[in-house]
Amino acid sequence: MKEVILCKYGELILKGANRGTFETVLQKELRRRARHAGEFRITTRQSTVMIEPLSDDPLVSDVDEMYRQAKLVFGFAAVTRAAACEKSMDAILATAAAYLPDRLRGCKTFRAEAKRSDKRFPLTSPEIAGEVGAVVLENVRGIKVNLVDPDITVRVEIRDTEAFIHAGQEKGAGGIPSGSSGNGLLLLSGGIDSPVAGYMMAKRGLNVEALHFESFPYTSELAREKVFRLAKELCEYTGRMRIHVVSLTHIQEVLRDSCTEDYFTLLLRRFMMAIADRIAKEDACGCLITGESLGQVASQTLAAIGVTDPMTTLPVFRPCIGMDKEEIISISRKIGTFDTSIEPYEDCCTVFTPKHPKTKPEIEKVLAEEAKIDWNGLLEEAMQTRYAVVARQYGDVIYENENKDGKGSC
Ligand code: ATP
Ligand code: MG
């Protein structure tokens, strides 16, 4: 018996002239992951990608790992393991009897469904479902039919070249294929929100790059490593991610020495947005992404966002803006970044924090504060500190230019 993995497209990408491009992106992404799970053949037919192991030996073709990987790829609405067989009722019933008892272990109730894309198949869908249902009742001790709310649904699909039998189809990662919406620059802190924001926009087809600000020695090497680890965790979904790192140390010291304390954070955030705007444009990113959530802290009030937003002409995507912290945390747990995010390292935003940050800043006062410093000079100087690393799903985080302190990987 041949067991394969079926990955089914979401509705959205069935439409439009881009379908061919989407299919190529999805196949490429599965191939990249398959290289680490072993030997597989990947083909596309009828809005479904089929992944076939080339060996029965899990050391050569690790189907469990390939299945786990397929569930992480944006663009698939559903993913399932299935037994493939010849398109005859005898073969279907024999395969159902051999394959399903294992898949239904622990289930008390089931429902059987069938779908014929090949309408020439002699039996109707209800007839096929009825016969397969009878095989299940014969072969799985104690199981009962429940059409309304079963523990598991058994499905038979009669497709153009083969029939497939499966049980326990799962949701895919959803969204649209990586890169199909262009590039975005994620402002990535070490917190909970920004990795979630990056994940959400990657799911909408953005190829996400990251920008991290540090403030060494006020922020530590450990804080930087934590951010690199978060980026690597996001690579489970994105494959790879370039992280630009810029130092804000001198800017923060100048703000502390020259400006009114209540404005520190806002002034700093205006620098962050301006630097992000520059780097995004140099790197062909069409938008910025932040983890801001309205009203979460002083710098995320409507008025505060109103004075930081104009520092970029790019659209700023803030997918967490309308979410409560609990909602953001639940996504963070689901995507696997939460445990790293809560490690207690400092962020540059928490260096020299004002006791009474402005929650309703006025732009005239902000501009007056900025007039006290050599704003352009500081921005250029910060840009000079920039370097980049690349995080990858498989492998270490590596420095993009090997000249960074002579290091090749970190
Ligand atoms: P987060 O989990 O994103 O850190 P937060 O509640 O700590 O959430 P803030 O520190 O106020 O949020 O920052 C708001 C947003 O600004 C972050 O979501 C992130 O996009 C960006 N940001 C904050 N600190 C940094 C940093 N050191 N480097 C890059 N971006 C940052
Ligand atoms: Mg933060």
Side-chain angles (χ1 to χ4, degrees):
M1 186 179 46
K2 181 173 82 170
E3 191 185 39
V4 300
I5 299 168
L6 300 178
C7 310
K8 302 179 179 183
Y9 294 173
E11 284 291 309
L12 202 116
I13 59 169
L14 295 177
K15 303 186 181 95
N18 286 335
R19 182 177 167 145
T21 322
F22 285 143
E23 287 183 340
T24 312
V25 171
L26 286 174
Q27 281 231 7
K28 200 170 146 207
E29 180 58 12
L30 285 169
R31 286 223 161 83
R32 185 185 69 74
R33 291 170 190 259
R35 279 201 293 277
H36 298 271
E39 297 179 9
F40 295 88
R41 180 180 303 120
I42 299 176
T43 48
T44 305
R45 289 188 98 91
Q46 299 179 299
S47 304
T48 298
V49 180
M50 180 167 81
I51 308 173
E52 241 176 297
L54 295 182
S55 163
D56 292 336
D57 180 351
L59 292 175
V60 180
S61 304
D62 185 346
V63 180
D64 289 344
E65 175 58 12
M66 192 62 230
Y67 183 62
R68 197 181 77 78
Q69 290 300 323
K71 283 194 289 179
L72 301 174
V73 176
F74 296 128
F76 293 118
V79 179
T80 187
R81 297 168 80 131
C85 68
E86 181 193 301
K87 278 175 19 177
S88 75
M89 218 44 217
D90 284 351
I92 291 170
L93 296 179
T95 306
Y99 183 64
L100 290 175
D102 249 8
R103 307 290 301 159
L104 301 187
R105 187 168 298 139
C107 298
K108 294 199 168 67
T109 57
F110 82 104
R111 164 175 71 197
E113 285 177 1
K115 192 172 156 202
R116 290 181 315 160
S117 349
D118 175 3
K119 301 292 180 210
R120 290 165 314 175
F121 194 76
L123 274 70
T124 64
S125 298
E127 285 166 351
I128 302 166
E131 292 206 20
V132 170
V135 165
V136 171
L137 290 170
E138 259 170 48
N139 288 276
V140 183
R141 185 183 297 202
I143 201 159
K144 293 199 171 66
V145 173
N146 179 340
L147 298 178
V148 183
D149 184 24
D151 290 344
I152 198 161
T153 299
V154 169
R155 290 190 174 87
V156 182
E157 300 183 23
I158 313 288
R159 291 177 168 255
D160 56 357
T161 56
E162 280 169 301
F164 297 95
I165 298 156
H166 55 90
Q169 171 169 293
E170 293 188 82
K171 272 193 169 173
I176 52 179
S178 183
S180 54
S181 300
N183 305 325
L185 184 66
L186 167 69
L187 280 76
L188 180 63
S189 71
I192 295 168
D193 309 333
S194 45
V196 168
Y199 164 83
M200 289 173 79
M201 296 321 300
K203 185 173 174 185
R204 296 312 305 162
L206 277 179
N207 174 32
V208 176
E209 293 204 3
L211 167 60
H212 176 65
F213 295 105
E214 58 184 16
S215 196
F216 200 74
Y218 305 106
T219 61
S220 64
E221 183 79 34
L222 289 173
R224 177 193 298 165
E225 274 170 18
K226 169 186 172 180
V227 171
F228 292 173
R229 262 186 289 131
L230 281 171
K232 190 164 159 55
E233 283 162 8
L234 286 174
C235 288
E236 278 284 297
Y237 307 92
T238 62
R240 81 196 285 283
M241 187 182 282
R242 177 187 284 149
I243 311 152
H244 304 269
V245 183
V246 170
S247 169
L248 295 179
T249 308
H250 192 217
I251 290 179
Q252 291 195 268
E253 288 171 343
V254 171
L255 292 178
R256 177 196 58 192
D257 296 340
S258 318
C259 298
T260 308
E261 184 185 301
D262 296 359
Y263 282 88
F264 282 178
T265 312
L266 275 174
L267 295 169
L268 183 68
R269 294 195 65 82
R270 278 168 62 87
F271 270 113
M272 289 164 76
M273 291 303 261
I275 293 168
D277 179 86
R278 277 269 291 264
I279 292 179
K281 285 172 183 165
E282 280 175 22
D283 237 20
C285 292
C287 65
L288 303 182
I289 304 161
T290 78
E292 288 161 302
S293 162
L294 192 63
Q296 191 185 78
V297 288
S299 60
Q300 292 171 34
T301 62
L302 178 57
I305 291 175
V307 301
T308 50
D309 214 45
M311 301 309 282
T312 177
T313 52
L314 294 171
V316 183
F317 293 150
R318 300 178 170 92
C320 302
I321 197 75
M323 294 166 74
D324 293 346
K325 197 76 189 185
E326 279 311 310
E327 292 170 312
I328 302 173
I329 287 175
S330 86
I331 298 178
S332 163
R333 287 188 198 279
K334 186 185 92 179
I335 65 174
T337 51
F338 182 74
D339 289 343
T340 307
S341 286
I342 58 171
E343 286 176 14
Y345 302 118
E346 62 298 307
D347 182 55
C348 67
C349 283
T350 55
V351 174
F352 314 140
T353 19
K355 284 193 199 67
H356 306 290
K358 279 277 170 210
T359 54
K360 289 188 183 161
E362 290 154 33
I363 189 67
E364 296 74 21
K365 295 212 174 118
V366 171
L367 294 174
E369 290 296 325
E370 285 178 351
K372 297 178 186 171
I373 57 178
D374 173 15
W375 201 91
N376 288 322
L378 284 167
L379 183 112
E380 290 306 329
E381 192 193 312
M383 287 297 293
Q384 297 304 314
T385 67
R386 166 187 174 187
Y387 65 93
V389 300
V390 177
R392 300 163 297 165
Q393 184 184 12
Y394 304 105
D396 291 338
V397 175
I398 49 171
Y399 283 98
E400 203 168 50
N401 304 318
E402 295 229 341
N403 62 5
K404 164 70 192 165
D405 303 330
K407 293 179 204 166
S409 68
C410 44

